[in-house]
Amino acid sequence: MLDLHTMNPPQLAAVKHTEGPLLVLAGAGSGKTRVITYRIAYLLEKLQVPAEQILAVTFTNKAAREMQERMTELVGRERCKGVILSTFHSLGMRILRRDIERLGYKRNFSIYSTSDQVGLIRQLMREMDDTGKKYDAETVLWKISGAKNALIPPDRYVPRPGDDYELLAARIYPRYQSALQACNAVDFDDIIMLTARLFQEHPAALKHWQERFRFIMVDEYQDTNHAQYLLISQLAAHHKNLCVVGDDDQSIYGWRGADVEKILAFEHDNPGCRVIKLEQNYRSTGTILSAANSVIKNNPKRKEKTLWTASGPGRAIDLVVAADDEEEATTVVERIQVECTRNRMEYGDFAILYRTNAQSRALEEQLRFEGIPYVLIGGMQFYERKEVKDTLCYLKAIDNTDDEQALLRIINFPRRGIGEGTVLKLNQWSLAQGIPLFEALKRVGEVEDIPAAIREKVLAFHGLVAGEADRFRHRKTGLAERVTALFKRLGIEDELYRTIDDRAVARRKVENVEQIVNSLASYEERIPAPTLSGFLEKVSLMDEDRFSGKDKKDHGQNAVTLMSLHSSKGLEFPYVFLVGLEEEILPHKRSIYEDFSIDEERRLMYVGITRARRHLTITRCLRRKKYGKLEERFPSRFLEEIPADLLNVQQAAAATVLTEEETEKVASDTFARLKAMFGE
């Protein structure tokens, strides 16, 4: 039920402003997601706007799902059916699946993952190795990705003189793009770049989508890059009903192409724009917000706003000064134990945030030592595990036999006696003949210096893929059953047990392969007309969340959360420990000595402070280990920007004192947890 009486005046104004451009500057914890979902519900229920005319774009699948759930609660599932709630990449995929043929691709194109891209770059580097130098393929890919995010095509990419990687990228980029198209494949950056190109080159396609979307909303607008900015600008140019929601003070992804200037210049780019500020915070205490305001106001280029709360000042912020990083970790863990003992808090109420992942080592060791469960955010994602990627490549090759990276990955998995030398000859021959690799496999008899026995194995592999591709093409049901049968016929489980000495490790890998089938079965249950292409697209788009670093898993377990400041954005915890507040850590040394700008580092500090709801503890060290030796550390300049009356400064050694009874309880709880984990 849509009840607008629950909204504060600025929120209500944002919901009711529907005609013309609108910029909603939403401070941390000010209810921006609520505003977006209520605005969609208002359009549907009060203004009777057809659902298919509404588009809302955000950066992660999780955020899109949460908006969908909230919207359904407000107006019901039937009323909101047809509203497009998606990520940028999902929106691009929707458009390209309809119109990509105008750009010379087939509709069943594949999406290359990061590892696929790196593999292709490495292959191209080997083919043109005329420098004698060794270059990192991932760095070359990073340069190309940056160009794509800036909408710079291969023929307009101009390297900076003296930058060897940019000079190499200028040579690789055209070949890389040609190779992708030859495989009927795109990478993540292409999804946005090709959509923008489609709209520029084919006005009829642009007109179709402009007329379709009468009302457009964009969440986290401060995180858009140039390509995303142009895409949204193109779509909104007809009706001009564009509402963007964001916070320039939380723009922390400049390293991956996000441009804070886009939100700062929104009023200039959209004449007649209305600006509404959401400054009332519903998350943190007054003391925490005062500290955040005091820090961020030192950034010269920002939209002025001041967070406030009606919930009272709360506790002072503890600033703990530790002798070194080991004492810092010990102090943090002790304080968690104290809060749990004295205030009946759960471990899941605590988060430890840091600027660099390397800082987690001492913290992890101390948590393990005390038997405290924790979750480390930033580990390897499920779909990035080798055995998962290997088996998924069978499905990719079956779905799109032009996907050469998939073919190369599986041609000898499980092992069938086709060595790297044979693969190299086949690849070189296909390039020389100007034919796809899959066709070269069928014509292996024409390739010189490949023994007859090996040719038979290549033909058998080609027949296997071709046969499965034909079967999947003609049977549209029972995908999970057919994939199960395929994996058994291939002997993937036997291969894993045979090639991995540690049986426990092999078993986990086998279970991961089983989860692919489980995921496919769940997909079939949820989708009215499931296809192998659709499933692979879903899997590929999950990589988008991993790349953005913003889609967090829900932690049902009662455990302390460890994560980087970049990963923490969008989350909140009752108790937050912000560790390592020293020069060259926060702000990072790169921003001090290379970029000569600490604005984004200050925004990271602001994000870290505003993750805390009830209490914030900041720590710094007098010395910290570097290559095993202690070096003197200096306090972060951001600490000086927090008013002294908000801080309770303590030495780590005197920071926590437990009574005898509390000490016994901590010891008892620790013993109970260790017993549960390891037995008697």
Side-chain angles (χ1 to χ4, degrees), residues 476-544:
K476 303 297 183 183
T477 59
L479 292 175
E481 293 178 8
R482 279 182 286 148
V483 169
T484 299
L486 171 63
F487 289 174
K488 287 183 178 178
R489 187 160 58 252
L490 291 169
I492 290 176
E493 181 175 335
D494 293 338
E495 175 77 354
L496 292 171
Y497 279 119
R498 184 172 59 251
T499 56
I500 299 173
D501 294 331
D502 188 331
R503 193 164 183 83
V505 173
R507 184 171 61 251
R508 287 197 295 270
K509 291 181 179 293
V510 168
E511 290 170 352
N512 288 336
V513 173
E514 291 173 358
Q515 286 301 319
I516 296 174
V517 180
N518 294 341
S519 178
L520 182 52
S522 298
Y523 164 78
E524 283 189 277
E525 292 171 1
R526 292 192 306 269
I527 304 300
T531 64
L532 186 59
S533 295
F535 172 70
L536 292 171
E537 180 178 314
K538 178 184 79 78
V539 170
S540 295
L541 288 174
M542 287 179 186
D543 208 28
E544 166 191 354

Side-chain angles (χ1 to χ4, degrees), residues 314-353:
R315 290 166 57 181
I317 296 168
D318 286 337
L319 172 58
V320 179
V321 182
D324 55 32
D325 41 350
E326 302 296 335
E327 186 177 67
E328 177 184 54
T330 301
T331 303
V332 168
V333 174
E334 282 180 355
R335 283 173 168 256
I336 291 173
Q337 291 175 315
V338 168
E339 293 290 352
C340 288
T341 302
R342 289 181 177 169
N343 299 324
R344 299 179 181 274
M345 304 305 298
E346 301 286 339
Y347 289 127
D349 294 327
F350 297 88
I352 305 173
L353 310 181

Side-chain angles (χ1 to χ4, degrees), residues 402-420:
D402 287 333
D403 190 338
E404 296 192 358
Q405 288 298 306
L407 289 170
L408 290 170
R409 187 167 188 127
I410 63 174
I411 195 169
N412 201 39
F413 174 80
R415 297 178 188 179
R416 51 176 59 91
I418 303 175
E420 292 183 3

Side-chain angles (χ1 to χ4, degrees), residues 32-191:
K32 69 178 180 62
T33 303
R34 190 164 182 262
V35 166
I36 295 172
T37 51
Y38 268 71
R39 193 171 188 272
I40 296 172
Y42 182 79
L43 289 168
L44 292 170
E45 189 170 289
K46 302 297 184 182
L47 302 187
Q48 296 296 303
V49 174
E52 60 272 11
Q53 293 184 2
I54 300 173
L55 167 67
V57 185
T58 188
F59 276 81
T60 70
N61 292 304
K62 181 182 177 183
R65 287 193 299 269
E66 289 177 350
M67 285 187 190
Q68 182 71 56
E69 291 168 2
R70 292 197 193 187
M71 195 172 63
T72 301
E73 291 175 2
L74 290 173
V75 297
R77 191 173 302 277
E78 285 301 313
R79 188 69 188 87
C80 62
K81 187 180 292 184
V83 173
I84 303 300
L85 281 168
S86 76
T87 63
F88 275 98
H89 289 92
S90 294
L91 173 63
M93 288 295 297
R94 180 183 293 269
I95 295 168
L96 292 177
R97 287 294 183 198
R98 178 185 184 273
D99 291 316
I100 198 170
E101 289 174 325
R102 298 173 186 260
L103 300 177
Y105 292 79
K106 300 174 188 175
R107 287 194 183 183
N108 70 329
F109 60 88
S110 299
I111 306 172
Y112 271 27
S113 68
T114 303
S115 59
D116 294 330
Q117 295 172 263
V118 172
L120 179 55
I121 294 289
R122 286 196 181 112
Q123 176 186 327
L124 295 172
M125 288 169 61
R126 285 194 297 268
E127 291 171 3
M128 54 178 290
D129 184 15
D130 53 8
T131 64
K133 292 184 179 180
K134 295 293 183 182
Y135 291 96
D136 177 47
E138 293 184 4
T139 303
V140 176
L141 179 60
W142 184 262
K143 297 289 186 181
I144 294 173
S145 176
K148 290 187 176 186
N149 286 332
L151 295 180
I152 301 173
D155 59 345
R156 289 200 291 110
Y157 181 77
V158 179
R160 288 178 295 183
D163 189 321
D164 288 348
Y165 272 101
E166 289 199 5
L167 291 168
L168 179 59
R171 300 174 61 200
I172 292 285
Y173 188 7
R175 305 183 192 197
Y176 170 71
Q177 206 62 19
S178 296
L180 281 177
Q181 187 159 4
C183 295
N184 194 38
V186 301
D187 61 25
F188 275 108
D189 299 316
D190 283 331
I191 293 173

